[in-house]
Amino acid sequence: MRLLPWVGESGAPCYLSTDDPGGRMSRLADEVETDLLDSAQYVLTEARALLAETGVGTRELRFTGVRLAESLRDTLRIAESRGYRLAPALTSPEDEETAVDAAAPRASAGGV
């Protein structure tokens, strides 16, 4: 399951069930992620410039803060999604066996 970089109408996360990273929806999600990250970079650059100015008004600061929060939310969602997709590649077969062994119930010492 891939966490998509957008949410549904109710604000709930959207997921894509596919193993094909080259599929149409996967490519669309990749493009949206790229656009969101580019936008976040732009917002950060503009926010830094605004914050370097003296005499900036409350409205400008509020607007900038809202845009920064939106960009951070989008960037964190993308990082979470990419982390989920990296996790299987970072887990070796030995790690999986260890995790299965650790999760297996242990027999009691009384030999039940």
Side-chain angles (χ1 to χ4, degrees):
M1 295 291 276
R2 176 181 177 167
L3 175 64
L4 295 172
W6 56 80
V7 296
E9 290 180 18
S10 66
C14 292
Y15 294 89
L16 175 63
S17 177
T18 183
D19 291 332
D20 182 10
R24 184 172 158 201
M25 287 303 295
S26 292
R27 289 192 321 269
L28 175 62
D30 291 341
E31 291 171 13
V32 170
E33 284 182 357
T34 298
D35 290 346
L36 289 171
L37 292 174
D38 289 346
S39 177
Q41 181 62 52
Y42 174 79
V43 168
L44 179 59
T45 300
E46 294 300 313
R48 283 183 174 153
L50 182 79
L51 294 171
E53 294 180 19
T54 57
V56 176
T58 303
R59 293 179 83 184
E60 292 88 356
L61 289 173
R62 181 177 304 279
F63 179 83
T64 300
V66 169
R67 299 293 84 80
L68 285 168
E70 290 170 350
S71 295
L72 180 58
R73 177 202 60 213
D74 294 340
T75 302
L76 289 173
R77 186 181 300 117
I78 292 166
E80 182 180 5
S81 175
R82 291 181 179 183
Y84 289 148
R85 288 181 277 151
L86 281 176
L90 297 176
T91 305
S92 69
E94 295 82 24
D95 293 339
E96 289 178 7
E97 288 175 13
T98 303
V100 169
D101 290 342
R106 302 278 183 212
S108 66
V112 178

